[in-house]
Amino acid sequence: MTLRTQVGIIGAGPAGLMLAKLLQMAGIESIIIENRSREYCEARVRAGLIEQWARDCLIDIGLGERLKREGMYHEGIKLRFGDDARGGLHPISFTKLVGKGTTIYGQQEVVKDFNTALIASGVPILFEVEDASVHDLDSKKPKIKFRHDGQPQEIECDFIGGCDGFHGICRPSIPESALQLFDREYPFGWLGILSESPPPDHELIYSYTERGFALYTMRSPTVSRLYLQVDHDEDIDNWSDDRIWDELHRRLHGARKLEEGKIVQKGITPMRSFVTEPMQHGRLFLAGDSAHIVPPTGAKGMNLAFADVRVLARAIAAFYKSGATELLERYSETVLPRVWKAQRFSWWMTQLLHRFPHENAFDQRRQLAELDYVAGSVAASTTLAENYAGLPID
Ligand code: FAD
Ligand code: DHB
């Protein structure tokens, strides 16, 4: 069967869902296809931090009701390093420094809110599709082929949104010679848990220790999201619940009391920086993780996905309004400078806070000096605040 729409979107993650919503608001039709089930997408534990502008945007587009009720607005973070009377805790207030804050609201909650709103308003999301592929990218009628409920299907559209994440099919469908890839792998990963216990502080604590980095964040006043730096090839089976708690206690250095709870989810995420240039080919436009990956330290992944599709939706809307292709042609060059700034910040936070295998005592002293500088200098902490709470977006 052939379906016809204006924009065919592959992937029902933050990028694809936000793209469909923004297009709908501009009166443009789309169909989303997704290879996982709705239940799987809505239970997948990933990012949790929303920049100020992204919060405002979700509220503006009518998706803020639960976010405002259940999201946890944060005025800043705490850096923890060294030892002093405060357990090495150094608060940095973003609201004071740059007049912006951040919101903790789990990615799967964002996904649930989008799914509910889109499906209720008639935007088709086809879950559990198989064997998706893209065709005729250089023509005015590109196609997406796939199987749904065992039947071969095709979407004929004007544009394709390649929102299918890092392991999707869209980026590999572009001829290798047309892309330049920029890549860095880190020699560590993050072991993340979700625990039914209150977080140790009402703000996020980023802790630098001799044993490695740890992050103490949350999903609600009674659910903690806790991360430990581990080796890049670490096996989760080596980490019993007792070992995880022991390490989380040690890396908090007594700065706060850490309550233990039932661990309801755990997993290891590798750390990588990656950018594709350009982010488009013919009528295929990549957005979010399909085009770039950041290490999670700067909490930028979901926010970048939203930022990309904001630009893309505007460019597509301009095309339907007047036939103008200029914004579409300039999509990559419009979004990439901000993508690279987020890459730089994510890399900077990562190298500042983690222990590297080949570092020596000089590197540790340098990291401590830099942390001390960031915590103590208005200029340096403003730089952190400005990037963390989200660089300007027009
Ligand atoms: P995705 O969310 O990956 O969405 C892509 C969608 O496409 C998925 O639903 C996928 O199932 C679907 N798809 C893939 N292939 C196909 C196909 N062939 N056909 C149809 N559909 C397809 N960021 C942070 O800031 N902090 C974190 O703590 C954090 N933790 C993370 C943990 C993990 C395990 C991962 C993988 C990512 C994490 N991120 C984190 C990054 C953040 O979640 C992503 O940046 C964000 O999900 C990007 O959204 P996206 O829509 O571009 O991609
Ligand atoms: C979360 C994850 C991050 O990587 C981060 O820097 C801040 C918060 C989170 O999952 O809450």
Short mmCIF file of all heavy atoms in Angstrom, two decimals, residues 79-124:
data_model
loop_
_atom_site.label_atom_id
_atom_site.label_comp_id
_atom_site.label_asym_id
_atom_site.label_seq_id
_atom_site.Cartn_x
_atom_site.Cartn_y
_atom_site.Cartn_z
N LEU A 79 28.83 21.60 42.14
CA LEU A 79 30.05 20.86 41.82
C LEU A 79 30.61 20.37 43.15
O LEU A 79 30.57 21.10 44.15
CB LEU A 79 31.08 21.77 41.14
CG LEU A 79 30.71 22.31 39.77
CD1 LEU A 79 31.82 23.25 39.27
CD2 LEU A 79 30.51 21.17 38.77
N ARG A 80 31.15 19.13 43.18
CA ARG A 80 31.80 18.64 44.41
C ARG A 80 33.20 18.16 44.07
O ARG A 80 33.39 17.34 43.17
CB ARG A 80 31.01 17.48 45.02
CG ARG A 80 31.26 17.26 46.51
CD ARG A 80 31.44 15.80 46.87
NE ARG A 80 32.61 15.24 46.20
CZ ARG A 80 33.87 15.35 46.63
NH1 ARG A 80 34.14 15.97 47.76
NH2 ARG A 80 34.88 14.85 45.93
N PHE A 81 34.17 18.72 44.74
CA PHE A 81 35.56 18.30 44.54
C PHE A 81 36.34 18.68 45.78
O PHE A 81 35.95 19.58 46.54
CB PHE A 81 36.17 18.96 43.30
CG PHE A 81 36.10 20.47 43.32
CD1 PHE A 81 37.16 21.22 43.84
CD2 PHE A 81 34.99 21.15 42.84
CE1 PHE A 81 37.10 22.61 43.88
CE2 PHE A 81 34.92 22.54 42.88
CZ PHE A 81 35.97 23.27 43.39
N GLY A 82 37.46 18.00 46.00
CA GLY A 82 38.33 18.31 47.13
C GLY A 82 37.61 18.10 48.45
O GLY A 82 36.55 17.46 48.52
N ASP A 83 38.20 18.60 49.49
CA ASP A 83 37.64 18.46 50.84
C ASP A 83 37.65 19.80 51.52
O ASP A 83 38.66 20.47 51.55
CB ASP A 83 38.52 17.50 51.67
CG ASP A 83 38.11 16.07 51.43
OD1 ASP A 83 36.90 15.81 51.47
OD2 ASP A 83 39.01 15.24 51.20
N ASP A 84 36.52 20.17 52.06
CA ASP A 84 36.50 21.35 52.92
C ASP A 84 35.33 21.20 53.88
O ASP A 84 34.68 20.14 53.92
CB ASP A 84 36.39 22.65 52.09
CG ASP A 84 35.11 22.70 51.26
OD1 ASP A 84 34.18 21.95 51.57
OD2 ASP A 84 35.05 23.49 50.30
N ALA A 85 35.05 22.23 54.64
CA ALA A 85 34.02 22.12 55.68
C ALA A 85 32.66 21.79 55.08
O ALA A 85 31.80 21.22 55.74
CB ALA A 85 33.96 23.43 56.46
N ARG A 86 32.43 22.15 53.79
CA ARG A 86 31.13 21.87 53.17
C ARG A 86 31.12 20.55 52.40
O ARG A 86 30.27 20.33 51.56
CB ARG A 86 30.79 23.01 52.19
CG ARG A 86 30.55 24.35 52.87
CD ARG A 86 30.44 25.46 51.85
NE ARG A 86 31.68 25.59 51.05
CZ ARG A 86 31.85 26.45 50.05
NH1 ARG A 86 30.86 27.22 49.67
NH2 ARG A 86 33.00 26.53 49.41
N GLY A 87 32.12 19.69 52.67
CA GLY A 87 32.20 18.41 51.96
C GLY A 87 32.60 18.61 50.50
O GLY A 87 32.38 17.76 49.66
N GLY A 88 33.18 19.76 50.23
CA GLY A 88 33.64 20.03 48.87
C GLY A 88 32.52 20.47 47.93
O GLY A 88 32.71 20.48 46.71
N LEU A 89 31.37 20.85 48.47
CA LEU A 89 30.24 21.25 47.61
C LEU A 89 30.33 22.73 47.24
O LEU A 89 30.55 23.58 48.10
CB LEU A 89 28.91 21.03 48.34
CG LEU A 89 28.35 19.62 48.38
CD1 LEU A 89 26.98 19.64 49.04
CD2 LEU A 89 28.24 19.01 46.99
N HIS A 90 30.14 23.00 45.95
CA HIS A 90 30.22 24.38 45.44
C HIS A 90 29.00 24.67 44.59
O HIS A 90 28.94 24.25 43.43
CB HIS A 90 31.49 24.56 44.60
CG HIS A 90 32.74 24.28 45.37
ND1 HIS A 90 33.49 25.26 45.97
CD2 HIS A 90 33.35 23.11 45.66
CE1 HIS A 90 34.51 24.70 46.59
NE2 HIS A 90 34.45 23.40 46.43
N PRO A 91 28.01 25.37 45.14
CA PRO A 91 26.81 25.67 44.34
C PRO A 91 27.10 26.69 43.24
O PRO A 91 27.89 27.61 43.44
CB PRO A 91 25.83 26.25 45.36
CG PRO A 91 26.59 26.55 46.59
CD PRO A 91 27.93 25.90 46.51
N ILE A 92 26.48 26.48 42.10
CA ILE A 92 26.56 27.47 41.00
C ILE A 92 25.11 27.82 40.63
O ILE A 92 24.35 26.93 40.21
CB ILE A 92 27.31 26.90 39.80
CG1 ILE A 92 28.76 26.59 40.23
CG2 ILE A 92 27.30 27.89 38.62
CD1 ILE A 92 29.69 26.24 39.12
N SER A 93 24.74 29.06 40.81
CA SER A 93 23.35 29.46 40.57
C SER A 93 23.20 30.03 39.16
O SER A 93 23.63 31.14 38.88
CB SER A 93 22.91 30.49 41.60
OG SER A 93 21.67 31.03 41.19
N PHE A 94 22.56 29.25 38.29
CA PHE A 94 22.36 29.72 36.91
C PHE A 94 21.41 30.92 36.88
O PHE A 94 21.59 31.84 36.11
CB PHE A 94 21.76 28.61 36.04
CG PHE A 94 22.57 27.35 36.01
CD1 PHE A 94 21.94 26.12 35.78
CD2 PHE A 94 23.95 27.36 36.20
CE1 PHE A 94 22.67 24.95 35.74
CE2 PHE A 94 24.68 26.18 36.17
CZ PHE A 94 24.03 24.98 35.95
N THR A 95 20.38 30.85 37.71
CA THR A 95 19.40 31.94 37.66
C THR A 95 20.06 33.26 38.04
O THR A 95 19.78 34.29 37.44
CB THR A 95 18.19 31.64 38.58
OG1 THR A 95 18.68 31.23 39.85
CG2 THR A 95 17.29 30.59 38.00
N LYS A 96 20.96 33.21 39.04
CA LYS A 96 21.65 34.46 39.41
C LYS A 96 22.61 34.89 38.32
O LYS A 96 22.74 36.08 38.02
CB LYS A 96 22.44 34.24 40.71
CG LYS A 96 21.58 34.36 41.94
CD LYS A 96 22.45 34.60 43.18
CE LYS A 96 21.64 34.36 44.44
NZ LYS A 96 22.23 33.37 45.31
N LEU A 97 23.30 33.94 37.72
CA LEU A 97 24.37 34.29 36.77
C LEU A 97 23.82 34.65 35.38
O LEU A 97 24.33 35.58 34.75
CB LEU A 97 25.36 33.13 36.63
CG LEU A 97 26.22 32.85 37.88
CD1 LEU A 97 26.86 31.47 37.80
CD2 LEU A 97 27.30 33.91 38.04
N VAL A 98 22.83 33.89 34.91
CA VAL A 98 22.35 34.14 33.54
C VAL A 98 20.83 34.25 33.44
O VAL A 98 20.28 34.34 32.33
CB VAL A 98 22.86 33.07 32.53
CG1 VAL A 98 24.37 33.14 32.39
CG2 VAL A 98 22.44 31.65 32.92
N GLY A 99 20.15 34.22 34.58
CA GLY A 99 18.69 34.40 34.57
C GLY A 99 17.94 33.24 33.94
O GLY A 99 16.81 33.40 33.47
N LYS A 100 18.56 32.06 33.89
CA LYS A 100 17.88 30.88 33.32
C LYS A 100 18.06 29.70 34.26
O LYS A 100 19.04 29.65 35.00
CB LYS A 100 18.53 30.48 31.99
CG LYS A 100 18.36 31.46 30.86
CD LYS A 100 19.08 30.92 29.64
CE LYS A 100 19.11 31.91 28.51
NZ LYS A 100 19.90 31.41 27.38
N GLY A 101 17.14 28.75 34.20
CA GLY A 101 17.28 27.53 34.98
C GLY A 101 17.12 26.30 34.10
O GLY A 101 17.07 26.42 32.87
N THR A 102 17.06 25.13 34.73
CA THR A 102 16.87 23.89 33.97
C THR A 102 15.74 23.11 34.64
O THR A 102 15.39 23.38 35.78
CB THR A 102 18.15 23.02 33.98
OG1 THR A 102 18.52 22.80 35.34
CG2 THR A 102 19.29 23.72 33.25
N THR A 103 15.21 22.13 33.90
CA THR A 103 14.11 21.33 34.44
C THR A 103 14.44 19.86 34.32
O THR A 103 14.87 19.41 33.25
CB THR A 103 12.81 21.61 33.65
OG1 THR A 103 12.53 23.01 33.74
CG2 THR A 103 11.63 20.82 34.22
N ILE A 104 14.25 19.13 35.40
CA ILE A 104 14.39 17.68 35.35
C ILE A 104 13.00 17.09 35.07
O ILE A 104 12.05 17.30 35.82
CB ILE A 104 14.94 17.11 36.68
CG1 ILE A 104 16.43 17.44 36.83
CG2 ILE A 104 14.69 15.62 36.78
CD1 ILE A 104 17.36 16.64 35.92
N TYR A 105 12.92 16.39 33.94
CA TYR A 105 11.66 15.74 33.52
C TYR A 105 12.09 14.65 32.55
O TYR A 105 12.66 14.94 31.50
CB TYR A 105 10.76 16.77 32.85
CG TYR A 105 9.34 16.31 32.54
CD1 TYR A 105 8.46 15.95 33.55
CD2 TYR A 105 8.90 16.25 31.21
CE1 TYR A 105 7.15 15.55 33.26
CE2 TYR A 105 7.59 15.85 30.92
CZ TYR A 105 6.73 15.51 31.95
OH TYR A 105 5.44 15.11 31.65
N GLY A 106 11.88 13.40 32.92
CA GLY A 106 12.45 12.28 32.17
C GLY A 106 12.07 12.28 30.69
O GLY A 106 10.95 12.63 30.33
N GLN A 107 13.03 11.87 29.86
CA GLN A 107 12.77 11.82 28.42
C GLN A 107 11.54 10.97 28.10
O GLN A 107 10.76 11.30 27.21
CB GLN A 107 14.01 11.27 27.70
CG GLN A 107 13.84 11.16 26.21
CD GLN A 107 15.17 10.88 25.51
OE1 GLN A 107 16.22 11.39 25.90
NE2 GLN A 107 15.13 10.06 24.48
N GLN A 108 11.36 9.87 28.85
CA GLN A 108 10.22 9.01 28.53
C GLN A 108 8.89 9.69 28.87
O GLN A 108 7.86 9.37 28.28
CB GLN A 108 10.35 7.61 29.15
CG GLN A 108 10.10 7.51 30.63
CD GLN A 108 11.38 7.76 31.43
OE1 GLN A 108 12.22 8.56 31.06
NE2 GLN A 108 11.52 7.08 32.54
N GLU A 109 8.94 10.65 29.81
CA GLU A 109 7.72 11.41 30.11
C GLU A 109 7.42 12.37 28.95
O GLU A 109 6.27 12.56 28.56
CB GLU A 109 7.87 12.20 31.43
CG GLU A 109 8.27 11.35 32.63
CD GLU A 109 7.36 10.14 32.84
OE1 GLU A 109 6.15 10.26 32.60
OE2 GLU A 109 7.87 9.07 33.23
N VAL A 110 8.48 12.99 28.42
CA VAL A 110 8.32 13.87 27.25
C VAL A 110 7.72 13.06 26.10
O VAL A 110 6.78 13.49 25.43
CB VAL A 110 9.70 14.46 26.82
CG1 VAL A 110 9.55 15.28 25.55
CG2 VAL A 110 10.32 15.28 27.93
N VAL A 111 8.27 11.86 25.89
CA VAL A 111 7.80 10.99 24.80
C VAL A 111 6.32 10.63 25.01
O VAL A 111 5.51 10.69 24.07
CB VAL A 111 8.71 9.73 24.70
CG1 VAL A 111 8.07 8.65 23.85
CG2 VAL A 111 10.09 10.12 24.16
N LYS A 112 5.94 10.30 26.25
CA LYS A 112 4.53 9.97 26.54
C LYS A 112 3.62 11.15 26.21
O LYS A 112 2.57 10.98 25.59
CB LYS A 112 4.36 9.66 28.03
CG LYS A 112 4.71 8.26 28.45
CD LYS A 112 4.42 8.11 29.96
CE LYS A 112 5.40 7.12 30.56
NZ LYS A 112 5.52 7.18 32.01
N ASP A 113 4.05 12.35 26.63
CA ASP A 113 3.21 13.54 26.40
C ASP A 113 3.03 13.79 24.90
O ASP A 113 1.94 14.11 24.44
CB ASP A 113 3.84 14.78 27.06
CG ASP A 113 3.86 14.68 28.59
OD1 ASP A 113 3.14 13.81 29.13
OD2 ASP A 113 4.59 15.46 29.23
N PHE A 114 4.12 13.65 24.13
CA PHE A 114 4.03 13.84 22.67
C PHE A 114 3.12 12.78 22.04
O PHE A 114 2.26 13.10 21.22
CB PHE A 114 5.42 13.74 22.03
CG PHE A 114 6.13 15.06 21.90
CD1 PHE A 114 7.31 15.29 22.59
CD2 PHE A 114 5.66 16.05 21.06
CE1 PHE A 114 7.99 16.50 22.47
CE2 PHE A 114 6.34 17.27 20.93
CZ PHE A 114 7.51 17.49 21.63
N ASN A 115 3.35 11.52 22.41
CA ASN A 115 2.54 10.44 21.81
C ASN A 115 1.06 10.70 22.03
O ASN A 115 0.25 10.60 21.10
CB ASN A 115 2.91 9.08 22.43
CG ASN A 115 4.21 8.52 21.86
OD1 ASN A 115 4.71 9.00 20.84
ND2 ASN A 115 4.78 7.53 22.52
N THR A 116 0.71 11.04 23.28
CA THR A 116 -0.70 11.27 23.61
C THR A 116 -1.26 12.41 22.76
O THR A 116 -2.31 12.28 22.15
CB THR A 116 -0.83 11.63 25.12
OG1 THR A 116 -0.20 10.60 25.86
CG2 THR A 116 -2.29 11.75 25.54
N ALA A 117 -0.51 13.54 22.72
CA ALA A 117 -1.03 14.72 22.00
C ALA A 117 -1.11 14.45 20.50
O ALA A 117 -2.11 14.80 19.85
CB ALA A 117 -0.12 15.91 22.28
N LEU A 118 -0.08 13.84 19.93
CA LEU A 118 -0.07 13.64 18.47
C LEU A 118 -1.15 12.65 18.04
O LEU A 118 -1.90 12.90 17.08
CB LEU A 118 1.31 13.15 18.01
CG LEU A 118 2.44 14.20 18.07
CD1 LEU A 118 3.80 13.54 17.84
CD2 LEU A 118 2.22 15.31 17.04
N ILE A 119 -1.23 11.54 18.76
CA ILE A 119 -2.19 10.51 18.36
C ILE A 119 -3.62 11.04 18.51
O ILE A 119 -4.46 10.88 17.62
CB ILE A 119 -1.95 9.19 19.15
CG1 ILE A 119 -0.60 8.60 18.70
CG2 ILE A 119 -3.09 8.20 18.94
CD1 ILE A 119 -0.04 7.50 19.57
N ALA A 120 -3.86 11.78 19.62
CA ALA A 120 -5.21 12.33 19.84
C ALA A 120 -5.59 13.33 18.76
O ALA A 120 -6.76 13.47 18.41
CB ALA A 120 -5.28 13.01 21.21
N SER A 121 -4.58 14.01 18.19
CA SER A 121 -4.93 15.03 17.18
C SER A 121 -4.76 14.48 15.76
O SER A 121 -4.73 15.25 14.79
CB SER A 121 -4.08 16.28 17.39
OG SER A 121 -2.72 15.94 17.23
N GLY A 122 -4.62 13.17 15.65
CA GLY A 122 -4.69 12.54 14.33
C GLY A 122 -3.40 12.41 13.56
O GLY A 122 -3.41 12.08 12.37
N VAL A 123 -2.24 12.67 14.21
CA VAL A 123 -0.97 12.44 13.50
C VAL A 123 -0.65 10.95 13.60
O VAL A 123 -0.50 10.41 14.70
CB VAL A 123 0.18 13.27 14.11
CG1 VAL A 123 1.51 12.95 13.42
CG2 VAL A 123 -0.12 14.77 14.02
N PRO A 124 -0.53 10.25 12.46
CA PRO A 124 -0.30 8.81 12.54
C PRO A 124 1.14 8.50 13.01
O PRO A 124 2.10 9.06 12.49
CB PRO A 124 -0.49 8.32 11.10
CG PRO A 124 -0.98 9.50 10.32
CD PRO A 124 -0.65 10.73 11.08
#
